[in-house]
Amino acid sequence: MRILLVTHDFPPASTGGEGVVAGTLARMLVSVGVDLEVVAPNQDGAVAFDESAPYLVHRVEAPAKTFLRRTPSFYRASAPVIRRYEGDLVYYFRPAILRKKLPMVVHFHTTRFGEAMGCFRSRAYLSGILNLLYVPFERRMAKAANLVVVPTETMKSEVVKFSAIGYDAISVLHNPVALDYWSTRVVDRGEAHVIKLLYVGRLDLRKGIFDLLNAFKCSLPQTGKISLHIVGDGPMRRKLQRWVRVSGCAELVTFQGGASMAEVRRFYQSHDIVVVPSLYEPFGVVVAEALASRAMVISSDACVDLGQVRFPRGNVDALCSAIVDSARLIEGRPTSMDNNVPMIEVLGQLREEVVVGKLLKLFALARARFGHS
């Protein structure tokens, strides 16, 4: 099968989770015999990466850093490549010119509608309005596709709302996760003299980080010895550090800044509870990575449901209760997640080879629908 993958986030330097997923699926598709071509923005280091890649990469100039400019610039720059492609299927990760003479699969990894709702929940109203301006791009793509793919049931509902296509036109395919990497033990968690909480992610209002800090402070009288380690960077870092100083939690909360993949794995394995308090989350890969690392996970209901403890997004009291209950549960039992067989089976569905096998079946379904249209 010959496939053209269209994405505006791709290795060697991915700007978000979408680029990581695109790179993983590109590698896996080639490994099962797909003749793959990719169209993606040019970037530093692309020449060396593309020369070693087992597929052809068409680099186009779309230098804008924000989605406001990046979406239209990539739309224009990628158009010539898409128009002249003569393979079996076009696989879109983001809006681009339609290739109506070929089967089209549109794979949403986030939606501007969902991002807008997340902005409104975090009171970033201008950003929310700007996201809504781009919903028509995604509506057009969804309506034209032979099949729409999303990573969660929550996003499936989002796409139905803004596109008015039927549920049967949308398939859920969880993002692939390198489970063997995250589950390989590199550090022991040790005894729980201090319950160690961990946040990994961008320091952004939509990630619910202020909710986590308020819930952490609320939990202190009920949990005793507890700490919070924040890994990641972003526009809210200074405000968060100021809040921690003013609130009197400076000795209990540490800010790591950015971290490598290897460092993040060590953090997952050396902390007791990983908290993902997002107000909006297209998938929530941190949930899967942390569970694979055998940490206890608390997340908002914005994240994919993999059997972790969940609370209603934006509900600080519920998050505080979840922290208190989880801390009491694991105290003195640092390996409590190691033998959770049902959760291990759920995580197995995220294995790269399982996901790419399901994706090939979805491609076949899209081609069959195209043949009957």
Side-chain angles (χ1 to χ4, degrees):
M1 187 185 301
R2 296 171 298 159
I3 294 175
L4 177 66
L5 170 59
V6 182
T7 175
H8 76 189
D9 190 7
F10 198 69
S14 301
T15 59
E18 178 180 324
V20 175
V21 173
T24 300
L25 289 179
R27 172 172 51 82
M28 294 302 297
L29 286 169
V30 171
S31 74
V32 295
V34 170
D35 182 357
L36 183 70
E37 296 182 32
V38 178
V39 55
N42 197 11
Q43 59 176 280
D44 293 340
V47 173
F49 176 87
D50 297 349
E51 287 178 348
S52 63
Y55 41 79
L56 175 63
V57 184
H58 303 274
R59 295 288 178 175
V60 298
E61 297 300 327
K65 293 183 179 180
T66 65
F67 79 89
L68 284 170
R69 295 179 57 198
R70 194 177 184 86
T71 296
S73 66
F74 179 71
Y75 190 102
R76 291 191 300 270
S78 62
V81 178
I82 298 170
R83 284 195 183 102
R84 63 175 178 261
Y85 183 69
E86 295 293 344
D88 298 312
L89 181 143
V90 182
Y91 181 30
Y92 294 92
F93 271 38
R94 281 296 179 97
I97 192 168
L98 299 174
R99 187 72 166 91
K100 295 184 178 180
K101 293 183 178 180
L102 293 174
M104 294 182 291
V105 173
V106 174
H107 194 158
F108 288 107
H109 294 274
T110 187
T111 69
R112 288 299 137 199
F113 178 83
E115 293 281 359
M117 297 304 104
C119 289
F120 293 146
R121 291 188 190 100
S122 58
R123 300 180 181 179
Y125 299 113
L126 178 58
S127 294
I129 292 170
L130 293 175
N131 273 281
L132 288 178
L133 293 177
Y134 282 79
V135 170
F137 279 95
E138 296 182 341
R139 180 185 298 117
R140 180 170 178 264
M141 298 296 296
K143 286 181 172 292
N146 299 106
L147 183 69
V148 173
V149 181
V150 294
T152 64
E153 290 290 343
T154 300
M155 192 179 294
K156 185 174 184 176
S157 298
E158 286 176 16
V159 175
V160 169
K161 286 179 181 178
F162 74 72
S163 69
I165 65 174
Y167 277 91
D168 59 347
I170 307 172
S171 295
V172 175
L173 180 70
H174 289 335
N175 290 346
V177 178
L179 296 179
D180 291 339
Y181 177 84
W182 297 108
S183 63
T184 300
R185 180 69 53 186
V186 294
V187 63
D188 291 328
R189 187 164 288 119
E191 297 182 7
H193 297 301
V194 175
I195 301 297
K196 294 175 287 187
L197 272 62
L198 176 68
Y199 169 89
V200 177
R202 182 170 170 78
L203 304 187
D204 182 283
L205 279 174
R206 284 171 292 178
K207 294 296 185 180
I209 185 68
F210 274 114
D211 289 346
L212 172 56
L213 288 174
N214 279 293
F216 175 76
K217 184 178 180 180
C218 168
S219 72
L220 291 176
Q222 305 173 69
T223 51
K225 295 182 178 180
I226 190 169
S227 66
L228 172 61
H229 189 49
I230 296 174
V231 178
D233 213 337
M236 299 303 299
R237 179 167 181 166
R238 289 185 179 180
K239 288 185 178 180
L240 293 167
Q241 290 174 321
R242 189 182 308 117
W243 187 97
V244 168
R245 289 194 300 271
V246 172
S247 67
C249 298
E251 294 184 359
L252 303 175
V253 180
T254 56
F255 288 83
Q256 171 73 29
S260 67
M261 190 172 173
E263 289 173 322
V264 170
R265 179 170 63 175
R266 292 182 67 87
F267 290 140
Y268 286 150
Q269 296 181 6
S270 61
H271 287 73
D272 301 294
I273 304 172
V274 178
V275 186
V276 190
S278 304
L279 299 174
Y280 175 73
E281 196 67 64
F283 181 71
V285 70
V286 169
V287 172
E289 293 171 352
L291 288 175
S293 301
R294 302 297 190 266
M296 178 170 282
V297 177
I298 300 171
S299 86
S300 74
D301 57 6
C303 299
V304 62
D305 185 358
L306 298 177
Q308 76 275 19
V309 176
R310 298 172 90 217
F311 68 95
R313 70 191 81 179
N315 190 323
V316 174
D317 290 339
L319 175 53
C320 176
S321 296
I323 291 173
V324 172
D325 293 344
S326 298
R328 289 172 177 169
L329 178 64
I330 68 172
E331 194 165 13
R333 294 192 293 154
T335 58
S336 60
M337 300 301 293
D338 285 349
N339 298 311
N340 192 327
V341 175
M343 188 172 290
I344 292 172
E345 292 177 351
V346 171
L347 288 174
Q349 298 302 306
L350 307 183
R351 287 191 173 278
E352 294 173 347
E353 60 271 23
V354 173
V355 173
V356 79
K358 292 180 178 179
L359 182 59
L360 290 175
K361 292 179 180 178
L362 294 177
F363 287 160
L365 176 59
R367 294 178 71 190
R369 289 179 176 177
F370 177 79
H372 290 91
S373 62

